[in-house]
Each structure stands twice: as structure tokens, then as C-alpha cells.
Amino acid sequence: SAVISQKPSRDICQRGTSLTIQCQVDSQVTMMFWYRQQPGQSLTLIATANQGSEATYESGFVIDKFPISRPNLTFSTLTVSNMSPEDSSIYLCSGGGLAEYNEQFFGPGTRLTVL
Amino acid sequence: GQNIDQPTEMTATEGAIVQINCTYQTSGFNGLFWYQQHAGEAPTFLSYNVLDGLEEKGRFSSFLSRSKGYSYLLLKELQMKDSASYLCAVRDQIGAGGYNKLIFGAGTRLAVHP
């Protein structure tokens, strides 16, 4: 199994600023994903971080708001840009293997509060 | 469209058995996952089913019927620490580049009482 760490674990930010969240996996994974979890709700996929190419975004999420980097098979960043209070949420990084792999792991999450 | 349904809340007694159901309608299917999530923590992988039938892993078992779009998670010998949210997620096959993404249900909050 893969161990995933995220930095920062939590932050309180001012409206209009940006925050970059880092995700580190202790082994190479084919796929890395970024999710958002609003309080009391389930997980919503923001985008898939592709190594060596642009991230693939889900409906309702755009690159200008959530730019993503994935320079190698063990690391990714998600930036929440021009933040507003509606962006307050937990952001989770996830990693998994190919379709034949049967597990997908999650990082501990980054709890973001925007004032 | 994509739809995954599970009960919002359930309660059970310590030592008992509880079954959490999940029904799904998705464009593609490449496996169903169950995760446990304690409040304020990340989801923890519990089980994965891609073929019909029952998968047993200690106190937890998971069942899948692909023809019915149905799964359940069975928890035996309940303990207080099993109080958590249980998330059903389907691995879909659609998406740009053919990647396999997980679509999550809203989760079932289980409260275990003495």
C-alpha cells in the first residue's frame, strides 16, 4: 500500500489570496487525484493529475481556479487561486495504480478556511 | 447520469451485525470500493469488489451484484470504534484519456451504541 502525505495539514487564508497544497506519495503511482470534501458531505473529484501533461478537470472545476502540477510519479500540487469563503473545505490527494490495481489511497487532507 | 445511493444514517448496538447498502447507476463500471472515514480524518480503504459475490476480510465483508447495481458492506461484532462514515464508491471508466475515476456516494454515518 502507498502512504500519502500532504502539506499543509490546515491553513486559514484571506479572501483573494492563493494557497498551494503539496502531495507526496512514498512510491510511484500511475494516477493521482485531487478531491474536495465540504463539511458533512462526501468527496467530489476536482481533477486528475497527469504526469507530464495537463491535468484533466471535472465538470465545474477549471484550471485557472485550481492549477495542478505533477512533475513526477510521486508528487503533485494543487493551488486554490483567488480564494473566497466558498472554497473553505478539506482538500484530499489520492493515488492509485492502473485499472487492474484494486486500491486507491488518500492523504490526510488539508483543511482550508477562507476568511 | 451518475448516481450512487446509500442510507444517510444508521445506528446499531455494540456486538451486533449491521449491513450498509449501496445502489449505483454509472456510465461505466470497473469495481466498487468501500471506505471508512472517521470525523476529521481521511478515508481508509476497506474493500474492493469487481466480480459478483462476497469478499470477506475479518469482521468486514462486502458483496456485489453487478446485474442489480447493488453492493453491501457487512460489519460483524460491532465495536464502538466502528462509529464512522462509510463511503461507497464506484470506479468509472469514462473520462478524458480513459482514466478510471472514483465516484463517491454521500456516505452513511454509523453510530454504534453500548
Side-chain angles (χ1 to χ4, degrees):
Chain A
S1 63
V3 176
I4 302 177
S5 59
Q6 286 183 233
K7 286 195 297 187
S9 59
R10 60 177 62 228
D11 207 342
I12 300 173
C13 302
Q14 295 296 323
R15 181 196 296 263
T17 62
S18 297
L19 175 72
T20 296
I21 303 168
Q22 299 180 6
C23 175
Q24 180 74 53
V25 189
D26 70 345
S27 58
Q28 292 185 351
V29 290
T30 305
M31 312 297 292
M32 291 182 76
F33 305 90
W34 287 97
Y35 288 83
R36 182 170 73 181
Q37 187 173 29
Q38 306 278 17
Q41 297 186 22
S42 192
L43 284 75
T44 301
L45 180 64
I46 298 171
T48 301
N50 303 308
Q51 196 265 330
S53 63
E54 259 191 22
T56 307
Y57 290 82
E58 296 300 305
S59 176
F61 298 96
V62 294
I63 188 172
D64 290 346
K65 176 68 176 177
F66 297 103
I68 286 170
S69 79
R70 184 153 181 218
N72 56 52
L73 291 175
T74 64
F75 185 79
S76 178
T77 67
L78 169 76
T79 298
V80 186
S81 303
N82 188 24
M83 289 183 283
S84 66
E86 292 71 36
D87 295 320
S88 297
S89 187
I90 298 173
Y91 291 84
L92 293 141
C93 172
S94 177
L98 299 173
E100 62 267 30
Y101 290 1
N102 62 2
E103 296 186 8
Q104 185 170 327
F105 300 94
F106 286 84
T110 296
R111 185 178 295 272
L112 172 62
T113 303
V114 185
L115 303 177
Chain B
Q2 318 283 50
N3 201 41
I4 299 177
D5 289 317
Q6 48 182 136
T8 304
E9 292 184 352
M10 298 183 71
T11 59
T13 305
E14 193 175 16
I17 299 173
V18 70
Q19 178 174 312
I20 303 174
N21 296 323
C22 172
T23 58
Y24 64 90
Q25 289 177 304
T26 56
S27 301
F29 180 84
N30 193 25
L32 186 142
F33 293 73
W34 283 97
Y35 286 88
Q36 180 191 62
Q37 186 177 29
H38 286 99
E41 298 182 13
T44 303
F45 170 81
L46 288 179
S47 69
Y48 169 79
N49 295 68
V50 68
L51 300 176
D52 290 350
L54 187 68
E55 295 279 343
E56 296 187 76
K57 192 186 291 186
R59 293 190 299 116
F60 294 178
S61 302
S62 56
F63 171 84
L64 174 67
S65 169
R66 289 172 295 171
S67 62
K68 296 181 180 178
Y70 168 70
S71 173
Y72 67 72
L73 179 70
L74 192 71
L75 292 77
K76 304 175 187 174
E77 302 169 17
L78 279 172
Q79 303 174 9
M80 299 296 290
K81 67 178 183 179
D82 296 329
S83 294
S85 287
Y86 291 85
L87 309 176
C88 174
V90 172
R91 177 182 269 160
D92 200 343
Q93 285 186 312
I94 62 171
Y99 60 86
N100 296 279
K101 63 180 182 180
L102 289 187
I103 303 169
F104 281 84
T108 298
R109 280 194 304 277
L110 174 66
V112 180
H113 300 290

